[in-house]
Coordinates of all heavy atoms in Angstrom, one line a residue:
V943 N 86.8 -21.3 60.3 CA 86.1 -22.5 60.9 C 86.6 -22.7 62.3 O 85.8 -23.0 63.2 CB 86.5 -23.7 60.0 CG1 85.9 -25.0 60.6 CG2 86.0 -23.5 58.6
I1051 N 82.0 -44.5 67.1 CA 81.7 -43.2 67.6 C 80.5 -43.3 68.5 O 79.4 -43.8 68.1 CB 81.4 -42.2 66.4 CG1 82.6 -42.0 65.5 CG2 80.9 -40.9 67.0 CD1 83.8 -41.3 66.2
D1090 N 108.2 -43.5 7.3 CA 109.4 -44.2 7.7 C 109.2 -45.1 8.8 O 108.2 -45.0 9.6 CB 110.5 -43.2 8.1 CG 110.9 -42.3 6.9 OD1 110.7 -42.7 5.8 OD2 111.3 -41.1 7.2
G1091 N 110.0 -46.2 9.0 CA 109.9 -47.0 10.1 C 110.7 -46.5 11.3 O 111.8 -45.9 11.1
P1154 N 126.3 -41.7 16.6 CA 125.3 -41.4 15.6 C 125.5 -42.4 14.5 O 126.6 -42.8 14.1 CB 125.5 -40.0 15.2 CG 127.0 -39.7 15.5 CD 127.3 -40.5 16.7
E1157 N 123.7 -42.5 7.2 CA 122.8 -43.3 6.3 C 123.4 -44.6 5.9 O 124.5 -44.6 5.2 CB 122.4 -42.4 5.1 CG 121.4 -43.1 4.2 CD 120.9 -42.2 3.1 OE1 121.3 -40.9 3.2 OE2 120.2 -42.6 2.2
A1357 N 112.3 -53.1 -23.1 CA 113.2 -52.2 -23.8 C 114.5 -53.0 -24.2 O 115.0 -52.9 -25.4 CB 113.6 -51.1 -22.9
L1413 N 107.0 -58.9 -75.9 CA 107.2 -57.7 -76.7 C 108.1 -58.0 -77.9 O 108.4 -57.1 -78.8 CB 107.9 -56.6 -75.9 CG 107.0 -56.1 -74.7 CD1 107.7 -54.9 -74.0 CD2 105.7 -55.7 -75.2
Q1445 N 103.0 -44.2 -58.1 CA 104.1 -43.6 -57.5 C 103.7 -42.5 -56.5 O 104.4 -42.4 -55.4 CB 105.1 -42.9 -58.6 CG 105.7 -44.0 -59.5 CD 106.3 -43.4 -60.7 OE1 106.3 -42.2 -60.9 NE2 106.8 -44.2 -61.6
V1458 N 97.4 -54.4 -76.1 CA 97.6 -54.6 -77.6 C 99.0 -55.2 -77.7 O 100.0 -54.7 -77.3 CB 97.6 -53.3 -78.4 CG1 97.8 -53.6 -79.8 CG2 96.2 -52.6 -78.2
Q1468 N 95.6 -59.2 -66.8 CA 95.6 -58.8 -65.3 C 96.9 -58.1 -65.0 O 97.9 -58.6 -65.2 CB 95.5 -60.1 -64.5 CG 95.5 -59.8 -63.0 CD 94.1 -59.4 -62.5 OE1 93.1 -60.0 -62.8 NE2 94.0 -58.3 -61.7
R1527 N 73.5 -71.5 -44.3 CA 73.3 -70.0 -44.3 C 72.8 -69.5 -45.6 O 73.1 -70.0 -46.6 CB 74.7 -69.3 -44.0 CG 75.3 -69.7 -42.7 CD 76.5 -68.9 -42.3 NE 76.9 -69.1 -40.9 CZ 76.4 -68.5 -39.8 NH1 75.5 -67.6 -40.0 NH2 76.9 -68.8 -38.7
A1661 N 1.5 -80.4 -36.4 CA 0.1 -80.4 -37.0 C -0.8 -81.4 -36.3 O -1.9 -81.0 -35.9 CB 0.2 -80.7 -38.5
L1678 N -16.8 -79.4 -19.2 CA -17.0 -78.4 -18.2 C -18.5 -78.1 -18.0 O -18.9 -77.8 -16.8 CB -16.2 -77.0 -18.6 CG -14.7 -77.1 -18.5 CD1 -14.1 -75.8 -19.1 CD2 -14.3 -77.3 -17.1
L1900 N 20.6 -48.8 -50.7 CA 19.1 -48.9 -51.1 C 19.0 -49.3 -52.6 O 18.0 -49.9 -53.0 CB 18.4 -47.6 -50.8 CG 18.4 -47.3 -49.3 CD1 17.7 -45.8 -49.2 CD2 17.5 -48.3 -48.6

Side-chain angles (χ1 to χ4, degrees):
V943 179
I1051 297 294
D1090 296 334
E1157 186 172 351
L1413 298 185
Q1445 293 167 2
V1458 179
Q1468 178 82 45
R1527 294 190 175 274
L1678 289 177
L1900 292 175

